[in-house]
Amino acid sequence: MGITGRLLGSGRVNDVYEIDGTWVLRRNREGWGDALAEGAVMEHVRAYGYPVPRVRLAESTPTELVMERLHGPTMLEAYGAGLIGAAEAGEVLGGLLRQLHGIPGRRSADRRILHLDLHPENVMLTPDGPRVIDWSNTEEGDPGLDWGMSAVILAQVAVGDEPIAAPARELLDVLLADPSHLTEDGLTKARRRRAADVMMSRREVELLGEAEELIRSYWP
């Protein structure tokens, strides 16, 4: 839909532009993706009461998604500002995973909607509660894989040397407490997917083995 308002923010592959006080345009600057499919999944889970931004599919394209403008920090930013603790963040994240996996798939009611990138940077804390963003990796499948992806992402941070390592470990403690739905198969597939992710740095890949060991330490 062409250039719109001012640039509000940029991620690894997307830029977000202002349309007005209610809507934004998220554009893939590399010119790839399937924003229409992503938006359709967001509308599907929203129909079941899941907290996601509204989207305007009729005004979107495969590389541009018109979506509701959210106000508030990401969960990671809120932690940095002292607005939420790691333990509370873990409870919120676990609750969002459980709620999502109660929603049947669009293609098969026997499968579940998976986010596959649910971590503190993809949860925005708005005045109306948390909202889950960035559904570009979404698939339908077994919830164990979704739990595995979130656990591996957090564990990679927890075993690293960044200042946020200790809070990430505390968040992981809460996430993997009962009732966790992480499975052996989900963990194995999650590590494989992370290792194949071209967006990860060499250091992030090197941490995968230690991250998996940390996750396994939570099992009897």
Side-chain angles (χ1 to χ4, degrees):
M1 55 183 294
I3 297 296
T4 54
R6 64 190 176 96
L7 179 67
L8 296 176
S10 296
R12 288 189 175 186
V13 296
N14 293 312
D15 296 319
V16 178
Y17 294 91
E18 179 182 56
I19 295 178
D20 55 34
T22 306
W23 300 94
V24 296
L25 173 71
R26 194 203 67 191
R27 174 181 293 135
N28 185 292
R29 59 179 171 272
E30 304 296 331
W32 56 269
D34 195 347
L36 292 175
E38 181 181 349
V41 172
M42 293 170 68
E43 285 293 275
H44 175 73
V45 299
R46 194 171 73 86
Y48 283 85
Y50 197 73
V52 296
R54 292 173 292 155
V55 299
R56 287 181 173 176
L57 288 177
E59 300 172 30
S60 302
T61 73
T63 60
E64 298 180 337
L65 185 63
V66 177
M67 58 194 297
E68 180 183 3
R69 183 172 183 174
L70 301 179
H71 298 277
T74 66
M75 184 182 285
L76 182 62
E77 291 169 339
Y79 172 79
L83 301 176
I84 189 173
E88 182 183 355
E91 292 177 0
V92 171
L93 206 62
L96 288 169
L97 283 168
R98 283 185 282 272
Q99 183 182 355
L100 178 61
H101 300 150
I103 300 173
R106 297 170 63 223
R107 299 177 179 84
S108 171
D110 294 331
R111 299 171 75 80
R112 290 295 180 262
I113 302 294
L114 311 181
H115 186 278
L116 299 179
D117 199 22
L118 191 50
H119 56 76
E121 288 185 281
N122 282 337
V123 178
M124 291 190 67
L125 302 182
T126 77
D128 296 321
R131 295 289 183 271
V132 178
I133 61 173
D134 193 354
W135 291 76
S136 57
N137 292 335
T138 184
E139 294 179 11
E140 295 182 17
D142 189 303
L145 175 58
D146 221 359
W147 282 84
M149 291 299 294
S150 292
V152 169
I153 292 168
L154 289 171
Q156 282 178 284
V157 178
V159 299
D161 53 10
E162 298 296 325
I164 201 171
R169 174 65 182 266
E170 185 179 353
L171 198 158
L172 189 66
D173 289 345
V174 176
L175 183 69
L176 295 184
D178 290 336
S180 166
H181 299 287
L182 179 63
T183 63
E184 175 73 35
D185 184 62
L187 176 57
T188 299
K189 290 180 178 177
R191 177 177 174 175
R192 187 181 305 137
R193 284 182 179 233
R194 289 291 285 175
D197 187 346
V198 297
M199 301 301 295
M200 286 211 308
S201 68
R202 180 177 178 180
R203 175 58 177 161
E204 287 174 314
V205 174
E206 291 173 345
L207 290 173
L208 279 171
E210 191 175 348
E212 182 176 352
E213 289 180 8
L214 173 60
I215 294 168
R216 290 185 179 280
S217 71
Y218 290 88
W219 287 339

